[in-house]
Short mmCIF file of all heavy atoms in Angstrom, two decimals:
data_model
loop_
_atom_site.label_atom_id
_atom_site.label_comp_id
_atom_site.label_asym_id
_atom_site.label_seq_id
_atom_site.Cartn_x
_atom_site.Cartn_y
_atom_site.Cartn_z
N PHE Z 208 149.06 85.48 92.83
CA PHE Z 208 149.87 85.80 94.01
C PHE Z 208 151.25 86.27 93.61
O PHE Z 208 151.83 87.18 94.23
CB PHE Z 208 149.99 84.59 94.93
CG PHE Z 208 150.95 84.80 96.08
CD1 PHE Z 208 150.50 85.37 97.26
CD2 PHE Z 208 152.29 84.45 95.97
CE1 PHE Z 208 151.38 85.59 98.32
CE2 PHE Z 208 153.17 84.66 97.01
CZ PHE Z 208 152.70 85.24 98.19
N ARG Z 209 151.81 85.68 92.59
CA ARG Z 209 153.15 86.07 92.17
C ARG Z 209 153.16 87.50 91.64
O ARG Z 209 154.17 88.20 91.74
CB ARG Z 209 153.69 85.07 91.16
CG ARG Z 209 153.96 83.72 91.83
CD ARG Z 209 154.26 82.59 90.88
NE ARG Z 209 154.46 81.35 91.64
CZ ARG Z 209 154.55 80.15 91.10
NH1 ARG Z 209 154.47 80.01 89.78
NH2 ARG Z 209 154.72 79.08 91.85
N ASP Z 210 152.04 87.97 91.10
CA ASP Z 210 151.91 89.38 90.76
C ASP Z 210 151.83 90.22 92.04
O ASP Z 210 152.44 91.28 92.14
CB ASP Z 210 150.63 89.62 89.94
CG ASP Z 210 150.71 89.01 88.56
OD1 ASP Z 210 151.84 88.77 88.07
OD2 ASP Z 210 149.65 88.77 87.96
N ALA Z 211 151.07 89.72 93.00
CA ALA Z 211 150.83 90.48 94.23
C ALA Z 211 152.10 90.65 95.05
O ALA Z 211 152.39 91.72 95.58
CB ALA Z 211 149.75 89.80 95.07
N ALA Z 212 152.87 89.57 95.18
CA ALA Z 212 154.05 89.58 96.05
C ALA Z 212 155.35 89.73 95.29
O ALA Z 212 156.42 89.72 95.90
CB ALA Z 212 154.09 88.30 96.88
N ASP Z 213 155.27 89.86 93.96
CA ASP Z 213 156.46 90.03 93.14
C ASP Z 213 157.46 88.92 93.41
O ASP Z 213 158.65 89.16 93.63
CB ASP Z 213 157.09 91.40 93.40
CG ASP Z 213 158.16 91.76 92.37
OD1 ASP Z 213 158.11 91.20 91.26
OD2 ASP Z 213 159.02 92.60 92.67
N GLY Z 214 156.95 87.66 93.40
CA GLY Z 214 157.80 86.55 93.77
C GLY Z 214 157.89 85.46 92.72
O GLY Z 214 158.19 84.31 93.05
N ALA Z 215 157.65 85.78 91.46
CA ALA Z 215 157.73 84.76 90.41
C ALA Z 215 159.19 84.39 90.16
O ALA Z 215 160.08 85.24 90.19
CB ALA Z 215 157.10 85.28 89.12
N PRO Z 216 159.48 83.10 89.90
CA PRO Z 216 160.86 82.70 89.59
C PRO Z 216 161.35 83.39 88.32
O PRO Z 216 160.61 83.52 87.34
CB PRO Z 216 160.76 81.19 89.39
CG PRO Z 216 159.49 80.78 90.05
CD PRO Z 216 158.56 81.94 89.91
N ALA Z 217 162.59 83.83 88.34
CA ALA Z 217 163.17 84.46 87.15
C ALA Z 217 163.48 83.43 86.07
O ALA Z 217 163.62 83.77 84.90
CB ALA Z 217 164.44 85.21 87.53
N PHE Z 218 163.58 82.19 86.46
CA PHE Z 218 163.82 81.09 85.52
C PHE Z 218 163.30 79.81 86.15
O PHE Z 218 163.18 79.70 87.38
CB PHE Z 218 165.31 80.94 85.19
CG PHE Z 218 166.16 80.67 86.40
CD1 PHE Z 218 166.38 79.36 86.83
CD2 PHE Z 218 166.71 81.70 87.12
CE1 PHE Z 218 167.14 79.11 87.96
CE2 PHE Z 218 167.48 81.46 88.25
CZ PHE Z 218 167.69 80.16 88.66
N GLY Z 219 163.01 78.83 85.33
CA GLY Z 219 162.59 77.52 85.83
C GLY Z 219 161.28 77.56 86.59
O GLY Z 219 160.45 78.46 86.42
N ASP Z 220 161.08 76.57 87.45
CA ASP Z 220 159.86 76.48 88.25
C ASP Z 220 160.22 75.89 89.61
O ASP Z 220 161.40 75.78 89.95
CB ASP Z 220 158.79 75.64 87.54
CG ASP Z 220 159.29 74.27 87.13
OD1 ASP Z 220 160.04 73.64 87.93
OD2 ASP Z 220 158.95 73.79 86.04
N ARG Z 221 159.21 75.51 90.39
CA ARG Z 221 159.46 75.05 91.76
C ARG Z 221 159.09 73.57 91.94
O ARG Z 221 158.85 73.14 93.06
CB ARG Z 221 158.66 75.94 92.73
CG ARG Z 221 159.16 77.37 92.70
CD ARG Z 221 158.30 78.30 93.53
NE ARG Z 221 158.88 79.64 93.52
CZ ARG Z 221 158.20 80.77 93.70
NH1 ARG Z 221 156.90 80.72 93.91
NH2 ARG Z 221 158.81 81.94 93.67
N ARG Z 222 159.10 72.84 90.86
CA ARG Z 222 158.65 71.45 90.95
C ARG Z 222 159.61 70.57 91.76
O ARG Z 222 159.22 69.49 92.20
CB ARG Z 222 158.46 70.86 89.56
CG ARG Z 222 159.73 70.60 88.77
CD ARG Z 222 159.41 70.11 87.35
NE ARG Z 222 160.60 69.72 86.61
CZ ARG Z 222 161.41 70.57 85.99
NH1 ARG Z 222 161.16 71.86 86.04
NH2 ARG Z 222 162.46 70.14 85.32
N HIS Z 223 160.86 71.01 91.95
CA HIS Z 223 161.82 70.18 92.67
C HIS Z 223 161.71 70.32 94.18
O HIS Z 223 162.35 69.57 94.91
CB HIS Z 223 163.25 70.51 92.22
CG HIS Z 223 163.52 70.15 90.79
ND1 HIS Z 223 164.45 70.80 90.04
CD2 HIS Z 223 162.95 69.22 89.98
CE1 HIS Z 223 164.46 70.28 88.81
NE2 HIS Z 223 163.56 69.33 88.76
N TYR Z 224 160.94 71.31 94.65
CA TYR Z 224 160.77 71.41 96.10
C TYR Z 224 159.31 71.51 96.53
O TYR Z 224 159.00 71.21 97.68
CB TYR Z 224 161.61 72.55 96.70
CG TYR Z 224 161.58 73.89 96.03
CD1 TYR Z 224 160.80 74.92 96.52
CD2 TYR Z 224 162.39 74.15 94.92
CE1 TYR Z 224 160.81 76.17 95.92
CE2 TYR Z 224 162.41 75.39 94.33
CZ TYR Z 224 161.61 76.41 94.82
OH TYR Z 224 161.62 77.65 94.23
N GLN Z 225 158.41 71.88 95.64
CA GLN Z 225 156.98 71.79 95.96
C GLN Z 225 156.44 70.47 95.45
O GLN Z 225 156.99 69.85 94.54
CB GLN Z 225 156.23 72.97 95.36
CG GLN Z 225 156.63 74.29 95.99
CD GLN Z 225 155.94 75.49 95.37
OE1 GLN Z 225 155.16 75.36 94.43
NE2 GLN Z 225 156.22 76.67 95.89
N MET Z 226 155.31 70.03 96.01
CA MET Z 226 154.83 68.67 95.77
C MET Z 226 154.17 68.49 94.40
O MET Z 226 153.59 69.41 93.85
CB MET Z 226 153.84 68.28 96.87
CG MET Z 226 154.45 68.07 98.23
SD MET Z 226 153.21 67.70 99.47
CE MET Z 226 152.48 66.21 98.76
N ASP Z 227 154.24 67.27 93.91
CA ASP Z 227 153.60 66.88 92.66
C ASP Z 227 152.09 66.81 92.88
O ASP Z 227 151.62 66.10 93.77
CB ASP Z 227 154.14 65.51 92.24
CG ASP Z 227 153.60 65.02 90.91
OD1 ASP Z 227 152.61 65.60 90.40
OD2 ASP Z 227 154.16 64.03 90.38
N PRO Z 228 151.28 67.55 92.09
CA PRO Z 228 149.83 67.50 92.26
C PRO Z 228 149.23 66.10 92.13
O PRO Z 228 148.10 65.87 92.58
CB PRO Z 228 149.30 68.41 91.14
CG PRO Z 228 150.42 69.38 90.91
CD PRO Z 228 151.67 68.57 91.09
N ALA Z 229 149.97 65.16 91.56
CA ALA Z 229 149.46 63.80 91.42
C ALA Z 229 149.51 63.00 92.72
O ALA Z 229 148.90 61.93 92.81
CB ALA Z 229 150.27 63.05 90.35
N ASN Z 230 150.21 63.52 93.73
CA ASN Z 230 150.50 62.72 94.92
C ASN Z 230 149.65 63.10 96.11
O ASN Z 230 149.72 64.24 96.59
CB ASN Z 230 151.98 62.85 95.29
CG ASN Z 230 152.89 62.24 94.24
OD1 ASN Z 230 152.43 61.64 93.27
ND2 ASN Z 230 154.18 62.39 94.42
N GLY Z 231 148.88 62.12 96.60
CA GLY Z 231 148.11 62.31 97.81
C GLY Z 231 148.76 61.66 99.02
O GLY Z 231 148.87 62.27 100.08
N ARG Z 232 149.23 60.43 98.88
CA ARG Z 232 149.85 59.73 100.00
C ARG Z 232 151.12 60.43 100.46
O ARG Z 232 151.44 60.41 101.65
CB ARG Z 232 150.14 58.27 99.62
CG ARG Z 232 148.90 57.43 99.36
CD ARG Z 232 149.25 55.96 99.22
NE ARG Z 232 150.21 55.70 98.16
CZ ARG Z 232 149.89 55.52 96.87
NH1 ARG Z 232 148.61 55.60 96.49
NH2 ARG Z 232 150.81 55.26 95.96
N GLU Z 233 151.83 61.04 99.53
CA GLU Z 233 153.05 61.76 99.90
C GLU Z 233 152.75 62.86 100.90
O GLU Z 233 153.58 63.19 101.76
CB GLU Z 233 153.71 62.35 98.66
CG GLU Z 233 155.03 63.07 98.97
CD GLU Z 233 155.59 63.79 97.77
OE1 GLU Z 233 154.95 63.82 96.70
OE2 GLU Z 233 156.70 64.36 97.91
N ALA Z 234 151.56 63.45 100.82
CA ALA Z 234 151.19 64.51 101.76
C ALA Z 234 151.22 64.00 103.19
O ALA Z 234 151.64 64.72 104.11
CB ALA Z 234 149.81 65.06 101.42
N THR Z 235 150.78 62.78 103.40
CA THR Z 235 150.81 62.21 104.74
C THR Z 235 152.24 62.11 105.26
O THR Z 235 152.51 62.41 106.44
CB THR Z 235 150.16 60.82 104.75
OG1 THR Z 235 148.82 60.93 104.26
CG2 THR Z 235 150.13 60.23 106.15
#
Side-chain angles (χ1 to χ4, degrees):
F208 173 87
R209 291 170 182 170
D210 292 338
D213 192 23
F218 59 88
D220 54 40
R221 295 174 177 154
R222 71 185 186 278
H223 294 153
Y224 47 100
Q225 294 178 358
M226 290 177 59
D227 183 346
N230 294 355
R232 294 190 302 274
E233 182 187 4
T235 302

